[in-house]
Amino acid sequence: MKNLLRKSLVLAALAVASAAAWAQGPAEWKALDGDFNLYLCNDLGRNGYYDQKPIAELMGRMAETVDVECVVAAGDVHHFEGVRSVDDPLWLTNYELVYSHPELMLPWYPVLGNHEYRGNTQAVLDYSGVSARWQMPARYYTRVLEDDGVTLRLVMIDTAPLLDKYREDTEKYPDAARQDMDAQLAWIDSTLSAAREDWVLVVGHHPIYADTDKDESERLDMQRRVDTILRRHGNVDMYLCGHIHNFQHIRAEGSPIDYVVNSSASLAREVAPVEGTVFCSSATGYSVISVSKDSLVLSMVDKKGRVLHSVRRVK
């Protein structure tokens, strides 16, 4: 069994190494256009350094070709200690002055990451009253996007309070233990029970399955508390997250869900295949989600505008 697993991981690694990247400019980017499209980005806030500013500019240029409806921000917009208030200068250096391209003046739907939980989490919500594009009505919430009869439900969850690691560290993450974990889990359950849209995406900061050197307890808590709910309903197409700073696409045994780790849009880390890995890459970048009635495609894009891998769901 171990030899079989080792062989499968080697084959996955070879597939990753030989994956052909495509889409490098406007002519090729047109192929990404669906009935409507959205960006997925996370682990951004480096004051424009590393790859953050070039990737932000690429997102703007691509949106001149691909008609993007909104940006889903899966946490850690701010490194390293979050923000102190809605007037914190980090709002300018991590966000406003970096994502300044006219085509990025779109609704941004964020969730909190672990770095936001090191600071004033309420200020991240309150920034919705400062910026017209920052639309975060609560720590967890849902949005339904629709175009020409095609519907997509975003279920935006707040993962740090669902993990014992953060709840127990009251000095570094003081707000985590103050949140009602059971109330959020009940909300996720009821929201998915009522979901009747063509497509359903659940978005959080922390992964359910991933290759990472972070505490295994994070994934185990997510599997026990969140994944059991997602699997039970049978209508979740993808679980999308960040946190690990690389691209990963995993299919877990017995689950119909595609588990996607989206890379950092500023600074990435190394990655290796694990059991269930379909694709992984240590490139920085973001993802484009293209939605049509009969298909939903998530395309992982590196800092040069190349599509490294696509996750496709069909009806």
Side-chain angles (χ1 to χ4, degrees):
M1 183 67 182
K2 288 184 178 179
N3 289 336
L4 181 61
L5 176 59
R6 187 177 296 110
K7 183 178 179 181
S8 67
L9 294 181
V10 170
L11 290 173
L14 290 173
V16 169
S18 63
W22 59 276
Q24 298 179 338
E28 294 83 9
W29 293 339
K30 289 180 181 179
L32 302 178
D33 217 4
D35 288 340
F36 63 92
N37 316 284
L38 49 151
Y39 280 155
L40 172 67
C41 61
N42 46 265
D43 300 281
L44 312 172
R46 301 278 176 172
N47 290 309
Y49 283 86
Y50 305 100
D51 289 333
Q52 188 184 11
K53 185 62 176 176
I55 288 174
E57 293 172 350
L58 172 64
M59 290 169 64
R61 292 198 310 274
M62 183 178 284
E64 294 173 355
T65 300
V66 180
D67 188 12
V68 178
E69 300 285 336
C70 63
V71 179
V72 175
D76 284 0
V77 173
H78 299 288
H79 291 91
F80 292 88
E81 304 298 325
V83 291
R84 295 293 173 255
S85 70
V86 296
D87 299 316
D88 195 312
L90 287 176
W91 285 108
L92 293 177
T93 58
N94 278 338
Y95 180 58
E96 298 289 0
L97 298 180
V98 180
Y99 302 96
S100 56
H101 192 286
E103 294 295 335
L104 298 181
M105 299 299 120
L106 303 165
W108 284 58
Y109 301 136
V111 295
L112 296 167
N114 53 295
H115 284 283
E116 276 88 8
Y117 263 95
R118 291 189 185 186
N120 182 345
T121 54
Q122 185 59 45
V124 182
L125 278 71
D126 292 345
Y127 197 68
S128 298
V130 175
S131 169
R133 59 176 172 163
W134 190 264
Q135 299 188 21
M136 189 177 186
R139 293 171 186 266
Y140 50 90
Y141 58 98
T142 186
R143 295 276 190 185
V144 175
L145 308 179
E146 182 174 4
D147 189 89
D148 290 335
V150 183
T151 56
L152 168 72
R153 179 175 291 273
L154 296 170
V155 182
M156 313 291 288
I157 69 174
D158 185 19
T159 54
L162 304 179
L163 308 183
D164 292 341
K165 169 184 174 179
Y166 299 101
R167 297 184 71 87
E168 293 167 1
D169 192 345
T170 56
E171 181 176 351
K172 186 178 289 185
Y173 307 99
D175 280 353
R178 296 171 184 160
Q179 310 310 312
D180 189 333
M181 176 170 58
D182 291 335
Q184 181 180 180
L185 293 174
W187 176 86
I188 296 171
D189 193 27
S190 63
T191 300
L192 292 177
S193 292
R196 299 292 183 270
E197 288 71 30
D198 297 317
W199 307 101
V200 177
L201 304 179
V202 179
V203 182
H205 182 65
H206 292 84
I208 295 174
Y209 302 98
D211 169 62
T212 174
D213 59 0
K214 295 183 183 293
D215 292 346
E216 186 182 15
S217 65
E218 294 184 9
R219 270 97 60 218
L220 293 177
D221 284 348
M222 288 293 291
Q223 290 165 23
R224 177 164 52 95
R225 292 172 178 154
V226 177
D227 198 34
T228 52
I229 299 174
L230 306 190
R231 292 193 189 204
R232 181 163 67 241
H233 290 281
N235 58 352
V236 176
D237 292 288
M238 296 182 189
Y239 175 74
L240 311 176
C241 68
H243 190 49
I244 310 300
H245 292 227
N246 46 51
F247 286 118
Q248 299 186 52
H249 173 204
I250 293 174
R251 289 198 175 118
E253 184 177 356
S255 175
I257 300 167
D258 284 292
Y259 300 89
V260 174
V261 179
N262 193 52
S263 190
S264 167
S266 59
L267 185 64
R269 302 189 182 109
E270 293 300 315
V271 64
V274 295
E275 185 172 3
T277 298
V278 179
F279 175 84
C280 61
S281 169
S282 59
T284 53
Y286 61 98
S287 291
V288 181
I289 301 171
S290 305
V291 186
S292 299
K293 192 71 174 179
D294 58 353
S295 68
L296 183 146
V297 182
L298 179 144
S299 300
M300 298 174 176
V301 180
D302 73 4
K303 65 180 180 181
K304 294 183 179 179
R306 301 175 298 190
V307 173
L308 303 178
H309 176 68
S310 294
V311 184
R312 179 179 296 271
R313 305 279 295 194
V314 295
K315 294 295 187 183

